[in-house]
Amino acid sequence: MKKFLILCFAAFGFSLFAQPVISPEPGTWANRQMLVIDNSGESDFFYSIDGSDPYQFGLAYDGPVLIDLTGDVKLRICKNNYDGSSENIEVNYRVEEDFGDASTSSFLQSFMTTGVLNYLAGAELNVPESMEYALGDKNPVFLKGQTISYSEDCPLSRYLTVRLRENGKNWKFLMKTNPRASGIFSRVDVPFSVEDWNYITFENQDLIYRIDDGMWELPKDKVYLDRTEPHMIFWQSISYEKGNPVEFFELPVKPQINVTKNPDDSLKVYFEDDNSYSMCPENSVYQELFTSVSIDTFYGDEYKGVANLKIFSDSVYQGIISVPYSIDKCPPQKPVFVSSAQGFYSRESVDIDISTEPKAKLYIQISDPFAIEDRSHVFDPDNEIFANVKMSEVFEKNGSTKLILKPSEDNATYLKVKAWSSDGKNVSEISEYSVVIDRYNYYVNAKTDSALSEGTAEHPFSSLEQCLEAVNKNRYARIFVTGRLEMKKGVTELLSNCVIEGIEDGVIVFPLESSIVVKASSLTVKNMRFENDSSASRKKNMLSLFKLENSVLLMENCDFATALGINGTVFDASLSVITLKNCAVSLTSQSYGQVISANKTRVFVYDSFLNAVANTAVCISCRDGELTLENNSLSVSGEMGRIAEVFASTGVMKANRMNGDLANATTTNPVYTDKNTELSSIANLVQGF
């Protein structure tokens, strides 16, 4: 059966550096390092690991050895060449030993103490996904941790560097390969040797020799043979007697070696129609003979050079055949994204620069816009809701390029970009970039750092005023409030259509003499609590907390606890629409207090609790408008008061519970209407009037 071998280069004897030291390299490493020197040339090496003179106090290098040191290491090497010259080499590095975490420790333990990982060729080696790995030493490309393997016919060892993707710690070690495939070890014992194919040296002086049909003789010098023709070499004892045994060996024609290049750049080297020839790599640790050889490297490497193969005929050495090779299995570096966005959330369109290696083609996919409906939650890029976004068709660019990602008109929009590079032979790993572009959703959190505020879910505004300054420039916005926010003193104007929603117990506090004024806009408020400074009771009058001018206000699931000084109103509206649903509004004033004051306004209150406490207390005053009250609990407390005062308006009051706790209750009706009012009252319950 034919034997074959795959050569995976960058093993012993193939250095990429001008200096012969393959390992260690300068830098900081997380494991103790192997000393590996390319000593294939005509040199001797001595080394020391404490900074002393290696020639006088060091050790002779005779093969890879573990430098069993941590901390700062000063490695000095003296290279003595056979021509009498010498060189001094110094490598300074540091070892900060680290055995990794739960996800990496079992992998790292396999080589930490010895610097060597014993590997059975063909087996799977699992590099943890939390790590990156690189093969080779010259500008290595780091690839995401994955399952890797050699061919089971590859006997040569390898150097592997791994690092953590998060903190950049680096481990470098020798992966020592034990091959599964085996060749032929046997050699034929002949009394001559072949040098460079054409020169024959006869070594045993007790024998006489004959070449082809020539004379028997004892040649003392090298004999030149033309290897384009086959030759027979005979030998027998120098004591020439009749009947002496005569042995022979046939030297065949020097073979034509065949080299086939595979699509992955690997080479297969073999002899065609000549089973007498076999080979092995010149610098191989293993001296087995094979009838074919594959010259290969590992995914992630790129090598060019010449492989010198020792050729044997019937296990007799003949000479060397050199095979040049150029193998490129090194993918381009992953494309790099540079974004104009400061984080995962962006307020505006996002400019992206995608860079790749020169002359590489860039392949890009962009997802379809994905609308985020849950605006109360801050998402991260790995959230499962983004797992199945649909990607567009792939398009390509020649080299680096720029993209602009634009938001949708109404929603927070998630967009993902995938990019990879190709050099024509190899394809890089995929780089991904994702962003949520949210032009209309704003976030406010009093505990955030105002220096980083941009109103996104990642970097909320720190105050409502800061938010409204940005909001008022748009036609529409949603504002999400977290925590306890205090308004500025005075009037805060809201000029765009807004939704304000409390998340995580959002509270807005009105200080002295402050108010929100809504002008020609719509405002929806959900799940908010409103309070005001209790010291406001010392003031003679308070501004209305909400003042509406030609606007629409909807309150849902909101809670008001307010003290409004001598006189005060919670909602003051003209030419507007007010709707309260599932709200609780309670106010306290010294002299006069009312919850809603409406002029030429439509007022709708459903399933809510309204309570006014003042010397004169009124829940709702409605003039020249429309009033609808259904299923509410309405109460007033003080000297005098009414649930509602309605002038020149229409409406209906249905299934309300009206309660009065008034000193002059006998003279007060719960609802006052003038002659121009048409107000239906259905199934209301009245107490205390």
Side-chain angles (χ1 to χ4, degrees):
M1 183 176 70
K2 290 187 177 182
K3 302 294 182 178
F4 61 91
L5 171 68
I6 295 179
L7 300 183
C8 295
F9 285 95
F12 302 130
F14 293 89
S15 173
L16 293 175
F17 296 112
Q19 67 172 11
V21 180
I22 297 174
S23 175
E25 296 179 68
T28 299
W29 303 95
N31 65 304
R32 305 179 191 209
Q33 295 294 289
M34 294 286 294
L35 174 60
V36 182
I37 298 175
D38 176 9
N39 60 348
S40 59
E42 296 183 343
S43 307
D44 291 324
F45 292 90
F46 299 87
Y47 69 95
S48 68
I49 56 177
D50 58 0
S52 59
D53 186 336
Y55 192 72
Q56 295 185 15
F57 305 104
L59 300 169
Y61 177 82
D62 57 5
V65 61
L66 178 69
I67 302 175
D68 199 10
L69 292 176
T70 59
D72 293 318
V73 181
K74 186 173 184 179
L75 174 65
R76 295 185 63 188
I77 300 169
C78 180
K79 177 185 178 184
N80 291 332
N81 302 316
Y82 294 167
D83 62 5
S85 63
S86 64
E87 301 176 45
N88 292 307
I89 303 166
E90 186 173 301
V91 179
N92 296 312
Y93 67 97
R94 180 173 178 80
V95 174
E96 296 177 356
E97 204 163 41
D98 191 317
F99 287 80
D101 57 19
S103 66
T104 60
S105 59
S106 60
F107 171 72
L108 297 175
Q109 289 282 359
S110 58
F111 63 82
M112 284 293 293
T113 56
T114 63
V116 176
L117 187 153
N118 288 302
Y119 171 70
L120 179 64
E124 292 184 342
L125 177 65
N126 296 311
V127 182
E129 290 186 1
S130 60
M131 310 188 84
E132 295 178 323
Y133 76 94
L135 295 157
D137 302 289
K138 186 178 181 181
N139 299 321
V141 173
F142 279 89
L143 306 175
K144 182 180 179 181
Q146 57 190 283
T147 299
I148 58 176
S149 64
Y150 290 176
S151 165
E152 63 180 19
D153 305 304
C154 174
L156 297 187
S157 299
R158 191 75 185 97
Y159 299 100
L160 187 65
T161 300
V162 293
R163 69 184 182 190
L164 284 175
R165 299 172 67 188
E166 293 185 355
N167 62 19
K169 290 184 178 178
N170 291 267
W171 293 261
K172 184 178 181 180
F173 56 94
L174 169 66
M175 195 163 68
K176 185 178 180 182
T177 304
N178 301 304
R180 295 192 187 194
S182 59
I184 299 171
F185 284 104
S186 62
R187 300 288 190 272
V188 174
D189 186 19
V190 293
F192 62 89
S193 61
V194 181
E195 181 181 341
D196 294 335
W197 294 98
N198 298 104
Y199 294 94
I200 311 298
T201 300
F202 298 93
E203 298 169 335
N204 191 334
Q205 301 300 307
D206 294 328
L207 301 174
I208 57 176
Y209 303 87
R210 191 183 81 192
I211 300 174
D212 297 330
D213 296 328
M215 301 292 296
W216 288 95
E217 58 182 326
L218 179 61
K220 295 183 179 180
D221 298 320
K222 294 180 182 180
V223 176
Y224 177 83
L225 293 180
D226 180 3
R227 294 299 298 275
T228 62
E229 300 288 340
H231 300 279
M232 296 291 294
I233 298 179
F234 302 89
W235 64 90
Q236 63 173 309
S237 172
I238 197 171
S239 302
Y240 183 77
E241 296 179 1
K242 187 177 180 181
N244 273 356
V246 177
E247 298 182 71
F248 66 91
F249 185 89
E250 181 180 359
L251 287 179
V253 173
K254 181 179 179 180
Q256 282 290 331
I257 199 163
N258 294 288
V259 180
T260 300
K261 190 165 188 175
N262 299 315
D264 65 354
D265 269 8
S266 64
L267 303 179
K268 182 178 180 181
V269 183
Y270 59 97
F271 304 109
E272 190 166 357
D273 300 328
D274 192 338
N275 292 329
S276 69
Y277 277 110
S278 58
M279 68 184 88
C280 74
E282 182 181 30
N283 294 312
S284 174
V285 176
Y286 306 94
Q287 294 300 314
E288 297 168 87
L289 303 181
F290 299 86
T291 55
S292 66
V293 168
S294 289
I295 302 176
D296 200 2
T297 187
F298 301 84
Y299 180 68
D301 283 342
E302 179 180 6
Y303 282 94
K304 295 180 181 180
V306 175
N308 294 319
L309 302 176
K310 297 168 68 174
I311 309 300
F312 295 79
S313 175
D314 290 330
S315 299
V316 174
Y317 175 73
Q318 302 293 305
I320 288 178
I321 291 180
S322 296
V323 177
Y325 63 88
S326 176
I327 304 173
D328 181 5
K329 291 190 175 182
C330 182
Q333 291 282 3
K334 292 170 57 177
V336 176
F337 290 96
V338 177
S339 169
S340 62
Q342 298 301 308
F344 182 52
Y345 282 78
S346 176
R347 179 62 61 209
E348 301 296 337
S349 298
V350 176
D351 296 328
I352 302 176
D353 289 332
I354 310 177
S355 59
T356 186
E357 294 180 4
K359 298 182 180 180
K361 280 191 176 293
L362 191 62
Y363 296 88
I364 302 170
Q365 273 186 302
I366 303 175
S367 72
D368 292 344
F370 177 79
I372 300 176
E373 297 180 357
D374 181 0
R375 301 176 185 88
S376 64
H377 185 78
V378 180
F379 295 96
D380 59 64
D382 297 324
N383 195 281
E384 62 182 9
I385 72 167
F386 306 132
N388 297 316
V389 295
K390 185 179 179 181
M391 304 300 295
S392 67
E393 295 293 326
V394 177
F395 63 94
E396 69 178 59
K397 294 285 187 179
N398 291 320
S400 302
T401 191
K402 297 178 182 291
L403 295 178
I404 300 177
L405 302 181
K406 297 182 178 181
S408 73
E409 288 299 315
D410 298 314
N411 296 302
T413 305
Y414 169 85
L415 290 164
K416 175 190 281 188
V417 181
K418 292 183 178 181
W420 59 94
S421 300
S422 173
D423 58 11
K425 294 181 178 179
N426 304 294
V427 178
S428 76
E429 289 190 326
I430 296 175
S431 294
E432 291 188 0
Y433 173 81
S434 57
V435 66
V436 173
I437 306 177
D438 191 356
R439 178 175 290 178
Y440 301 109
N441 294 298
Y442 290 80
Y443 295 80
V444 187
N445 189 331
K447 295 182 180 180
T448 194
D449 184 352
S450 60
L452 300 175
S453 295
E454 58 181 6
T456 63
E458 281 183 315
H459 302 295
F461 286 127
S462 59
S463 70
L464 192 58
E465 290 70 40
Q466 188 181 27
C467 178
L468 292 180
E469 183 178 347
V471 166
N472 284 334
K473 298 176 183 178
N474 297 335
R475 64 175 180 83
Y476 174 73
R478 300 181 186 92
I479 302 171
F480 297 93
V481 176
T482 299
R484 190 178 181 86
L485 294 174
E486 184 168 320
M487 299 280 295
K488 71 175 183 178
K489 290 184 179 180
V491 174
T492 297
E493 290 190 341
L494 195 99
L495 305 177
S496 64
N497 300 323
C498 286
V499 175
I500 299 177
E501 184 170 347
I503 54 178
E504 299 180 19
D505 300 323
V507 179
I508 292 178
V509 180
F510 289 83
L512 300 176
E513 299 180 346
S514 61
S515 177
I516 293 178
V517 176
V518 184
K519 293 184 176 181
S521 301
S522 67
L523 172 62
T524 298
V525 184
K526 299 179 180 180
N527 308 317
M528 286 296 306
R529 178 176 173 82
F530 295 90
E531 299 175 1
N532 72 318
D533 190 340
S534 61
S535 64
S537 61
R538 299 193 300 267
K539 294 292 180 179
K540 292 183 178 181
N541 293 293
M542 278 290 294
L543 299 173
S544 302
L545 298 190
F546 282 87
K547 186 175 180 61
L548 282 76
E549 300 175 2
N550 196 26
S551 297
V552 177
L553 173 66
L554 169 62
M555 289 273 180
E556 287 190 82
N557 302 313
C558 293
D559 181 18
F560 288 77
T562 58
L564 300 181
I566 303 298
N567 300 312
T569 302
V570 178
F571 302 102
D572 185 2
S574 64
L575 299 170
S576 299
V577 178
I578 295 177
T579 303
L580 305 184
K581 293 182 179 180
N582 296 303
C583 292
V585 185
S586 180
L587 73 86
T588 301
S589 292
Q590 292 181 15
S591 178
Y592 182 83
Q594 60 182 344
V595 177
I596 299 174
S597 175
N599 180 42
K600 296 182 180 179
T601 294
R602 300 170 67 193
V603 179
F604 303 90
V605 183
Y606 305 99
D607 304 306
S608 296
F609 171 74
L610 306 185
N611 178 48
V613 179
N615 187 49
T616 301
V618 178
C619 282
I620 301 171
S621 174
C622 181
R623 186 181 298 275
D624 295 328
E626 180 182 342
L627 177 63
T628 299
L629 303 176
E630 290 187 10
N631 197 33
N632 302 293
S633 178
L634 311 169
S635 64
V636 290
S637 300
E639 286 289 324
M640 297 179 294
R642 288 195 175 95
I643 298 301
E645 294 180 339
V646 187
F647 307 93
S649 300
T650 61
V652 61
M653 296 179 64
K654 181 179 179 181
N656 299 289
R657 296 165 300 283
M658 296 181 283
N659 184 68
D661 183 11
L662 304 170
N664 297 324
T666 57
T667 61
T668 304
N669 295 319
V671 178
Y672 172 82
T673 60
D674 69 0
K675 63 179 182 180
N676 297 318
T677 295
E678 294 182 6
L679 185 65
S680 298
S681 180
I682 305 171
N684 297 294
L685 177 62
V686 179
Q687 292 180 331
F689 288 94

